[in-house]
Amino acid sequence: MDILSRRGRERLIKYICLLLTVLAVVPLLWIIGEVVYNGVSAINLEFLTALPAPFGESGGGIGNAILGTLIINAMASLFGIPVGILTGMYLSEYDRTSRLGSAVRTVIESLSGVPSIIFGIFAYSLIVLTVRHYTAIAAAFALGLMMIPLIAKATEESMKIVSNDIREAAIALGVPKWVRTTKIVFSIAKGGILTGCLLAFARISGETAPLLFTSLFSFYWPIGIDQPMASLQVLIYNYAMSGFQNWVIKAWGASLLLVIIVVSINVIVRRFAKPKYKAGV
Amino acid sequence: MSNSTKLDIQNLNAWFCEKHALKNVNVKIPDKEVVAVIGPSGCGKSTFVRCINRMHELIPGAKASGKALLDGVDVYGGMDVMDVRRKIGMVFQKPNPFPNMSVADNVVAGLKLVGTHSKKELAEIAEERLKSVGLWEEIKDELKKSGASLSGGQQQRLCIARALAMNPEVILMDEPTSALDPASTAKLEELVKKLKNEISVVIITHNVSQAARISDMTAFFYLGELVEFDETRNIFEHPKNPLTERYITGRFG
Ligand SMILES: Nc1ncnc2c1ncn2[C@@H]1O[C@H](COP(=O)(O)OP(=O)(O)O)[C@@H](O)[C@H]1O
Ligand SMILES: [Mg+2]
């Protein structure tokens, strides 16, 4: 005896999915709402462009931390994106099944599970201890390393699902393998690879632990990438826990700004990389 | 019909690891004629054509031995493998246009990706080849659309145009109509008959009457061996081998 008709069951499953989706989305909107609500009052021109005010004084801004985060993220991307994409390309197109390929794949997969603080300690002992001072280069190195497994995996998966028929078409035209890989398979897989890069970028934009070990903080404008550098992440961490009202509000403002930076980079990159055709792989 | 030989295949053997998939095949493909390759599935038809343009060896564990002389030059020795594939084009069972390129770019993909042709030359070649496969009138207003947006039959003709754009001397087709509807199949058959004015065509088909309709010569394969190769009329009217007769009359496979 069927208590529920088939139609009823379908509808029940649909509503359960909907309910769970709502459960997932509500906290997310809540967080964003909280950040906007608390942060928006902090944002003004001075906040965006001035240096931090000394502890206990009102006013001041976070201009150096905004610039620092942009610099560190850009350097990390410059290192992590190409290395990640080439690794993924290698795994998908050049060594899918060999022992070496599997070894690389295992390393990549384990790396993506390593806590971010480990990357920080690694960059700290490798670079900071060697040059004997905190430096933004070490921060970019740590964050770039964190991007590699995410991007490599996204690249590998996106290129793997390109149908072999397409590769055979290129082979039959006498197109050399590297041209086939870069101009056909890569180009078809671009959307997925881009998503992977943006996710990795968003991920490192929220990382604080590795920065505490590497770029630390500075109350001045960045003067060189080999020097300590302010960043939004470390600023939020310091300010939020300071107990000082002016700084706590600035921490909210900085959080809002971090969200805005990540979202707008996402939107801008997607707008410029819009595929000419819907790639039916 | 006593055309000159375009492709002289001698003692061709092919393996997949230990499996001997093609056994000592000898066949002379005439110039500017259509050769049909028939036989039950798994008999080695695809392996045979993929040995001719050296795609067989790309499968891990696969190897081939023997000669395939294109105008007297062995594709397994005298020629660069990329040149082999440019001179011997191929069309597959499932249409496989590049989904990241427009219709026009698909036609000239092989030239555009490696060559040094100017934009104007490429556009001319694209038009010429779309005309030779009868697609130009149908899609001349949609040249900028993705190659994957066409119908299956149009996609397959686009793939033929793409192969022709390389100016091949031979074109290999592996069951090109098996994924198409009857109307598209008929158009493609007409195209094949027209193509032989320019080049040699080797076409695999699982459809015996298609072989009878479009080919000048027919090769019948069975269990990796070339059982019989003769003018299509002889194969269908007076097959010499009882296996051939059983196959074309539909009594197995
Ligand atoms: N990739 C492969 N690996 C191993 N064996 C294969 C592979 N492709 C084909 N074979 C085997 O080789 C034989 C010939 O296959 P194929 O040339 O594809 O036959 P056909 O095209 O006539 O159907 C078959 O027995 C098939 O099982
Ligand atoms: Mg086959």
Side-chain angles (χ1 to χ4, degrees):
Chain A
M1 265 231 311
D2 266 313
I3 302 175
L4 289 167
S5 66
R6 194 179 58 81
R7 211 110 40 78
R9 248 192 332 255
E10 294 287 0
R11 208 173 299 154
L12 183 70
I13 291 176
K14 182 181 152 192
Y15 287 124
I16 292 177
C17 290
L18 186 65
L19 180 74
L20 293 175
T21 309
V22 170
L23 280 182
V25 171
V26 162
L28 233 129
L29 291 177
W30 192 349
I31 295 173
I32 293 179
E34 192 84 353
V35 169
V36 173
Y37 176 78
N38 289 301
V40 84
S41 64
I43 293 182
N44 54 41
L45 193 65
E46 187 190 12
F47 177 76
L48 295 176
T49 56
L51 286 175
F55 185 85
E57 282 177 31
S58 61
I62 61 163
N64 59 338
I66 298 172
L67 188 61
T69 285
L70 291 177
I71 292 172
I72 291 170
N73 277 7
M75 288 196 300
S77 302
L78 231 50
F79 163 53
I81 290 177
V83 176
I85 287 178
L86 288 175
T87 308
M89 215 178 240
Y90 168 77
L91 288 176
S92 165
E93 304 299 307
Y94 288 90
D95 241 335
R96 205 177 274 201
T97 51
S98 77
R99 289 265 277 290
L100 181 63
S102 321
V104 173
R105 189 173 294 111
T106 309
V107 170
I108 290 290
E109 268 158 20
S110 335
L111 269 182
S112 58
V114 171
S116 61
I117 196 164
I118 308 287
F119 288 94
I121 294 174
F122 177 62
Y124 174 79
S125 50
L126 195 74
I127 300 175
V128 175
L129 287 185
T130 311
V131 302
R132 292 166 178 281
H133 59 80
Y134 291 100
T135 151
I137 292 176
F141 178 64
L143 296 183
L145 279 182
M146 290 184 60
M147 295 177 89
I148 290 171
L150 302 174
I151 294 171
K153 204 70 210 150
T155 306
E156 184 193 359
E157 296 303 328
S158 312
M159 290 181 82
K160 258 188 185 166
I161 57 167
V162 173
S163 151
N164 237 348
D165 299 350
I166 299 293
R167 289 187 188 83
E168 291 210 317
I171 294 169
L173 288 173
V175 174
K177 180 161 184 177
W178 69 272
V179 178
R180 169 182 17 128
T181 302
T182 54
K183 299 220 176 131
I184 296 177
V185 182
F186 177 78
S187 152
I188 294 170
K190 237 176 4 203
I193 296 172
L194 190 66
T195 303
C197 293
L198 290 170
L199 275 174
F201 186 89
R203 162 105 197 265
I204 63 161
S205 301
E207 285 300 341
T208 312
L211 301 182
L212 289 172
F213 287 91
T214 49
S215 55
L216 202 63
F217 198 71
S218 152
F219 283 92
Y220 308 101
W221 291 105
I223 45 171
I225 56 170
D226 60 337
Q227 295 298 314
M229 198 179 276
S231 57
L232 288 170
Q233 295 98 308
V234 176
L235 180 133
I236 294 167
Y237 176 77
N238 286 337
Y239 278 25
M241 305 211 300
S242 69
F244 169 45
Q245 192 53 28
N246 182 29
W247 277 12
V248 173
I249 290 173
K250 290 210 161 48
W252 279 113
S255 307
L256 176 57
L257 215 61
L258 201 54
V259 173
I260 291 173
I261 289 175
V262 171
V263 171
S264 40
I265 286 181
N266 216 302
V267 170
I268 292 168
V269 171
R270 283 194 191 282
R271 153 87 19 116
F272 279 104
K274 198 169 258 168
K276 261 209 286 201
Y277 312 105
K278 265 226 158 84
V281 273
Chain B
M1 272 182 252
S2 53
N3 248 326
S4 62
T5 298
K6 185 71 195 176
L7 195 56
D8 187 358
I9 291 155
Q10 301 173 355
N11 304 319
L12 184 65
N13 285 276
W15 292 264
F16 290 98
C17 299
E18 297 306 308
K19 187 182 161 60
H20 200 173
L22 215 54
K23 296 166 189 159
N24 216 38
V25 172
N26 287 278
V27 59
K28 287 180 170 31
I29 308 285
D31 196 15
K32 297 190 178 148
E33 285 189 12
V34 176
V35 175
V37 177
I38 60 172
S41 58
C43 69
K45 304 180 297 292
S46 295
T47 309
F48 169 66
V49 298
R50 291 169 66 95
C51 281
I52 298 176
N53 72 344
R54 297 189 56 180
M55 297 232 344
H56 173 69
E57 66 203 45
L58 296 172
I59 295 164
K63 58 182 201 302
S65 77
K67 286 183 175 169
L69 305 173
L70 180 66
D71 288 328
V73 185
D74 189 4
V75 302
Y76 280 99
M79 287 167 78
D80 174 57
V81 60
M82 295 300 168
D83 275 339
V84 171
R85 295 185 190 136
R86 284 176 205 139
K87 286 192 175 148
I88 305 177
M90 185 155 187
V91 175
F92 299 81
Q93 185 166 352
K94 216 174 123 218
N96 52 4
F98 299 124
N100 59 327
M101 297 181 193
S102 70
V103 169
D105 282 351
N106 255 288
V107 179
V108 292
L111 302 170
K112 199 173 174 181
L113 289 174
V114 292
T116 51
H117 291 70
S118 72
K119 268 210 163 103
K120 189 162 161 283
E121 284 171 313
L122 289 174
E124 283 166 8
I125 294 171
E127 177 173 345
E128 180 195 340
R129 290 313 179 179
L130 285 172
K131 278 180 179 156
S132 45
V133 298
L135 261 185
W136 180 254
E137 288 304 321
E138 286 169 47
I139 58 163
K140 62 175 184 242
D141 301 321
E142 303 166 69
L143 294 176
K144 293 265 185 312
K145 275 172 82 174
S146 162
S149 66
L150 304 179
S151 77
Q154 291 176 325
Q155 286 188 23
Q156 195 61 297
R157 279 182 286 151
L158 178 62
C159 292
I160 295 174
R162 180 175 68 186
L164 293 178
M166 306 301 286
N167 273 325
E169 295 167 21
V170 179
I171 188 163
L172 311 169
M173 301 187 178
D174 191 347
E175 303 194 16
T177 62
S178 65
L180 305 185
D181 60 87
S184 305
T185 299
K187 271 188 190 158
L188 206 123
E189 287 182 6
E190 283 315 306
L191 173 57
V192 168
K193 283 192 247 176
K194 209 183 81 187
L195 281 179
K196 71 176 178 182
N197 295 325
E198 289 180 57
I199 57 178
S200 308
V201 182
V202 179
I203 178 168
I204 300 177
T205 172
H206 61 242
N207 180 336
V208 179
S209 47
Q210 182 174 63
R213 280 196 297 274
I214 63 177
S215 69
D216 304 297
M217 309 275 295
T218 295
F220 171 62
F221 281 78
Y222 186 62
L223 297 178
E225 290 182 62
L226 177 61
V227 174
E228 195 165 344
F229 178 59
D230 204 340
E231 284 185 24
T232 298
R233 195 178 336 120
N234 293 340
I235 291 273
F236 282 86
E237 286 168 15
H238 318 285
K240 292 193 188 71
N241 194 303
L243 279 171
T244 315
E245 180 172 7
R246 273 178 61 197
Y247 183 72
I248 58 172
T249 53
R251 269 175 285 163
F252 71 83

